[in-house]
């Protein structure tokens, strides 16, 4: 049974700092790994999707890496801004299996 | 293009009552998913429709939950009778293409509180 763990559960950083969020999963047989962002009272917004054959994806200040063999992914946020404050969720999808989510990392960027 | 919409945004009901949640996916999306987040826990999959057919309902907690997607457009999730442990946020998501490249688009969720 796939399990996804995200560390840390919460993180507070000053504006401008670079930061890394971690995600680990127990079953390396995945189709893809996705990072989502959730703002309070809102739905989830997909940030990056990494297919199992890929090692990383980049979008603006965000870079996500995937090491399937070790069951790990990181989300790197460069030059953090207060607008980056949100909960970041990692989810993995296997073949013909649904998305399995971690509990998320709650990020606060202090101006 | 309109995103995934859910109704109601909040619902407060008493134990034993019935509640029906609605999800309107993005137009043209054949895949529709329901998820639930119970307080303090991770978001968990409930079920997956492809058009009007249930592709996977392995996450449905018990037979008090009934999901439908008549005509392959919007979907409803009925809880009858509701129990205290059903409280949580119910998310709906839709996607156009399944498989390894699938990006699911999520609605804002319905916050259900059972008293």
């Amino acid at each position: 049974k796939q399990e996804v763990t995200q560390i840390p559960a919460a993180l507070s950083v000053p504006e401008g700092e670079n930061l890394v969020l971690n995600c680990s999963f127990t079953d390396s047989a995945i189709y893809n790994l996705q990072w989502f962002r959730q703002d309070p009272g809102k739905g989830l917004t997909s940030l990056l999707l990494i297919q199992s054959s890929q090692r990383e994806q980049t979008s603006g200040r965000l870079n996500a890496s995937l090491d399937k063999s070790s069951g790990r992914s990181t989300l790197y946020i460069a030059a953090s801004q207060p607008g980056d404050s949100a909960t970041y969720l990692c989810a993995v999808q296997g073949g013909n299996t649904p998305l399995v989510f971690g509990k998320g990392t709650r990020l606060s960027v202090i101006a | 293009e309109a995103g995934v919409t859910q109704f109601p945004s909040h619902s407060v009901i008493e134990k034993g009552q019935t509640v029906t949640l609605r999800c309107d996916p993005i137009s043209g999306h054949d895949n529709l998913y329901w998820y639930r987040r119970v307080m303090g826990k991770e978001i968990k999959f409930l079920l997956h429709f492809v058009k009007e057919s249930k592709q996977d309902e392995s996450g449905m907690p018990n037979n008090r939950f009934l999901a439908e997607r008549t005509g392959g457009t919007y979907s409803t999730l009925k809880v009858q009778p509701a129990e205290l442990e059903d409280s949580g946020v119910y998310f709906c998501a839709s996607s156009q293409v399944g498989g390894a490249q699938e990006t699911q688009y999520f609605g804002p969720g319905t916050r259900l509180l059972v008293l």
Side-chain angles (χ1 to χ4, degrees), chain B residues 29-66:
Chain B
H29 282 194
D30 288 341
N31 295 286
L32 187 149
Y33 303 82
W34 284 98
Y35 296 86
R36 176 175 74 173
R37 184 168 196 166
V38 173
M39 187 177 290
K41 304 276 189 169
E42 63 275 15
I43 296 172
K44 287 197 172 177
F45 166 83
L46 296 178
L47 88 158
H48 171 205
F49 284 100
V50 177
K51 296 185 180 179
E52 67 275 9
S53 299
K54 292 177 185 174
Q55 182 79 10
D56 181 354
E57 52 184 331
S58 61
M60 294 288 264
N62 51 61
N63 59 11
R64 294 185 293 103
F65 288 75
L66 175 64

Side-chain angles (χ1 to χ4, degrees), chain B residues 14-18 80-83 114-115:
Chain B
E14 293 187 351
K15 175 183 172 181
Q17 289 186 321
T18 298
Q80 178 182 31
E83 298 289 344
V114 183
L115 301 175

Side-chain angles (χ1 to χ4, degrees), chain A residues 1 31-32 34 36 38 40-44 46 49 51 87 89 93 96-104, chain B residues 33 35 37 40-45 55-56 58 89 91 99-109 111:
Chain A
K1 178 187 168 187
Y31 261 13
N32 63 50
Q34 298 179 57
F36 293 88
Q38 184 180 20
K42 302 285 181 65
L44 282 64
S46 180
L49 183 153
Q51 296 181 47
T87 297
L89 297 160
Q93 184 167 25
N96 293 320
T97 59
L99 279 174
V100 178
F101 284 85
K103 289 186 178 181
Chain B
Y33 303 82
Y35 296 86
R37 184 168 196 166
K41 304 276 189 169
E42 63 275 15
I43 296 172
K44 287 197 172 177
F45 166 83
Q55 182 79 10
D56 181 354
S58 61
V89 183
F91 292 102
Q101 299 179 49
E102 178 183 42
T103 295
Q104 296 184 24
Y105 297 87
F106 280 74
R111 281 144 188 82

Side-chain angles (χ1 to χ4, degrees), chain B residues 66-84:
Chain B
L66 175 64
E68 294 180 326
R69 192 183 182 195
T70 306
T73 55
Y74 71 90
S75 173
T76 58
L77 180 64
K78 180 190 288 188
V79 185
Q80 178 182 31
E83 298 289 344
L84 301 180

